[in-house]
Amino acid sequence: MTKLDVITIGRAGVDLYGDQIGGRLEDMGSFSKYIGGSPTNIAAGTARLGLKSALISRVGDEHMGRFIVEELAREGVNTDGIVTDPERLTALVILGIRDEEQFPLIFYRENCADMALCEDDIDPDFV
């Protein structure tokens, strides 16, 4: 296995950002989809900067979980530490951008896959 520079661990979700900048979430008519969660974003960002990065997390065995894994792979992130959870869904966040200081958001994280990450999911040889 290639030596890694950075391994992040934790939240992996999908962020759905309202396309109407400056509007209220109530008024949003369309959304754009991005990977989300600080560990996930840091893994992608460090890979963009040329580091060998990986993420340890859980995603659901559904469309949004596959989106996260595929998007991270496109960014060059090692996804070997991501477990696919057959019972839980991937977390979603709906967000808006009102201005430079306000970004309303709603988390959909009830019993989601990344919250079930446990010690057994971490391979000591990977770390």
Side-chain angles (χ1 to χ4, degrees):
M1 181 167 99
T2 304
K3 182 177 184 235
L4 296 167
D5 298 311
V6 176
I7 300 175
T8 60
I9 183 170
R11 193 166 87 75
V14 172
D15 290 347
L16 299 172
Y17 274 92
D19 291 325
Q20 294 73 38
I21 305 298
R24 305 177 321 146
L25 278 181
E26 296 90 326
D27 301 324
M28 293 296 148
S30 59
F31 294 83
S32 294
K33 179 174 60 173
Y34 303 92
I35 55 174
S38 295
T40 304
N41 290 333
I42 290 168
T46 54
R48 287 178 187 171
L49 293 172
L51 297 176
K52 293 178 182 74
S53 304
L55 173 68
I56 295 174
S57 190
R58 274 182 173 244
V59 297
D61 187 15
E62 28 73 1
H63 316 285
M64 295 298 118
R66 287 188 294 276
F67 166 74
I68 292 170
V69 174
E70 291 170 10
E71 189 67 18
L72 287 172
R74 278 190 285 277
E75 293 284 358
V77 174
N78 180 313
T79 59
D80 293 344
I82 300 175
V83 174
T84 299
D85 189 319
E87 298 177 14
R88 294 172 183 83
L89 296 174
T90 302
L92 297 174
V93 183
I94 296 176
L95 307 101
I97 300 174
R98 296 285 302 269
D99 55 36
E100 292 179 3
E101 297 179 14
Q102 296 179 352
F103 50 96
L105 52 90
I106 302 170
F107 283 95
Y108 290 92
R109 292 185 43 79
E110 182 70 29
N111 195 31
C112 62
D114 62 5
M115 292 180 79
L117 185 66
C118 65
E119 187 176 311
D120 292 340
D121 294 332
I122 302 171
D123 178 0
D125 293 332
F126 183 71
V127 177

